[in-house]
Amino acid sequence: MSASGARPVGAGRRIPLAWAGVIPFLGYLGVFLLLPTGIVLWGAIRAQHGPGLTLSGLKLLVSPTVRFYFVNSIELSGITAVMGALLGAILAYAIATGNPDGLIRRVYIAGSGVLAQFGGVTLAFAFLATVGPAGILMHASWYFDYPQGIGLIYLYFQIPLMVVVFLPAIDGLKIQWREATANLGGSTWQYWRHVGVPLLRPAFFGATLLLFANALSAFATIQAWDNQIAYVVPQQINTSIISEVGLASPNEPQILALGMIILVAVVMTGYALLQRRTARWLR
Amino acid sequence: MTSPVTDAQAAPTRAGVRVRLDGLRRRYGAVTALDGVDLTIEPGELVALLGPSGCGKTTTLRLLAGLEDADEGRITVGGRDITRLPASKRDMGMVFQAYSLFPHMTVRENVAFGLRLRRAPRAGRDRRALEMLELVGLTQQADRYAHQISGGQQQRVALARALAIQPTVLLLDEPLSALDAKVRAQLRDQIRRIQLEVGITTLFVTHDQEEALAIADRVGVMKEGRIEQLGPPTEVYSRPATPFVAEFVGLTNRLAGEVRGGQVTVRGMTLPLVDQAVPDGPAIALVRPEAVTLASGVAGAGGALAGSVIGVTFLGATSRVSVDLGDTTVLAQLPTSEVGSLPPGGHVTLAIRPDPVLVAQDSQAVPEA
């Protein structure tokens, strides 16, 4: 592996300060990830009556009410992740087969980068104004139906995210593999069946998991879409935080957040494992 | 269709066939990559196409492989016209310049892949893959993946993969260019040994003259989409047909001289010309370093062929000596045992063996500063 040009040149004896460069990152990680996670964990297992710790509060995660929010979250994230992945992969393939230096590709990539981050109130309002019940383009009666309405809105940022994440994998398919397949007597179908698809499979599933996690943690968009009813876990966490009555447990927000953290950790571990294989094959 | 597995146990491939390229032309927009290439490769022969970048050698190979289409011309293999046949139907094995092994398959699966595409039975293709791996000396690596073996081993696997399907023709597209010098030389010899053993008609493309001269039965030197000279390595080296070939293949001294009556006079020495029809007048004589001899000290009062040694490059059995003649530098290649008496800065007298030489004239005649 070649060394980065950012590293100083020379063989002179230096104080080993290379690790100092990661201090800001570790600080950021500590303050905004590890500390909140610790607070959530502490809140979830802290005994409500008297001192000490207890796991009894975690039983809340399997209660019918909480299960409803998790099932909804997984359902919405799963549907939009799979649909976003399929449509985004087709779009990424179309871009990859075009001129690599062409204007269309540059516009698509730049546009996808922006749209993948386009969410929240702005996106919900944009959809409401264009395809909502009184939209300019159409009057979609199903706009407020769950999960169709919100699913459609989620796809608006899921598809571009898939393009951004999956395009490098398609670009990583070497022309020599296709030519070698043809040279060995293989058809286009055989190339995709035996070479292209198997090589892209880890990248595709990895990207789908990323889309799943992306949808799972989305809050502002669905909250702006319907703030009267909680459908998914992030909405219920919000409700638990601001509600003073009706909570199943005083530490319900922390327990729900812990459930989300565990779910996202499992998904992202799968993503990291698939990504490692992709990096080896399609670099 | 006969199974390539069942009838292939004895010989790694079928007997060689004749390949003919007639008037191949290929343009990319305004650029002419191939400008009427004619080439016949005899059965079992290895022809190397040699030339600088952009000369059309790789395009020739890709047209033969069917990876690109010719604008004009005809390609026949074993008498069969394959000009419009897709690559997948041409029955050719190819080793690419960059590593082209499939990273998600083991070495054995890579080698057996062509047979898998032909729906050969699993047991047969596994057996065939192991035979091919034995041929290239890699049976121990059969269950490894591409990233777990070296670059040289990857290219040997690629060769085994190309041969496993019993191709009619073997195409080698600069297969050694990404390897280090020692591995390159070893693999070059191994490719030649296997090619002779298998008896397959082979086209080898390279920009490395040493590689081409070492491996080929005949070498074709290409320039601007045409083959300038095609012949055995010794002929291409010792009797180059054009100044371009003389300068591209091997090192050449460019010495200003005067052509008169079918001879060229260089610094008082008269040398015969390869081409007697060269018109009289100023010219640049192209002289091989091996044709230059050196003697210690300056004969008489010096003169046009007296100079001083600038430096000596050790090449093993031979050494290359740079001599400053005042207005130009001349290279001489001598046995290393003779170089000991020629220290840098020492005065020498230079002589040129009276072999026939080529001359460059007009635009080709660019005297050295």
Side-chain angles (χ1 to χ4, degrees), chain A residues 174-187 189-191 193-196 198-199 280-283, chain B residues 62 65 67 87-88 92-94 96 98-105 113-114 116-119 147 161-162 165:
Chain A
K174 291 181 185 165
I175 184 71
Q176 289 91 336
W177 294 335
R178 187 158 200 161
E179 291 182 345
T181 305
N183 192 248
L184 292 166
S187 61
W189 161 249
Q190 285 176 310
Y191 164 73
R193 183 179 163 212
H194 296 297
V195 180
L199 283 173
R280 185 187 295 155
W281 287 354
L282 301 173
R283 60 189 159 202
Chain B
R62 291 177 65 81
L67 299 174
S88 58
M92 292 186 187
M94 184 164 172
F96 293 81
Y99 310 141
S100 63
L101 298 186
F102 305 117
H104 61 302
M105 296 182 194
F113 185 60
R116 187 178 171 197
L117 294 174
R118 288 162 163 76
R119 303 184 200 289
H147 71 272
R161 183 177 70 181
I165 58 168

Side-chain angles (χ1 to χ4, degrees), chain A residues 47-65:
Chain A
Q48 294 306 307
H49 306 290
L53 303 174
T54 175
L55 296 176
S56 61
L58 299 183
K59 277 190 270 183
L60 183 67
L61 287 173
V62 292
S63 70
T65 314

Side-chain angles (χ1 to χ4, degrees), chain A residues 24-37 39:
Chain A
F25 175 70
L26 291 178
Y28 181 83
L29 211 64
V31 172
F32 294 106
L33 182 69
L34 298 179
L35 186 61
T37 303
I39 291 170

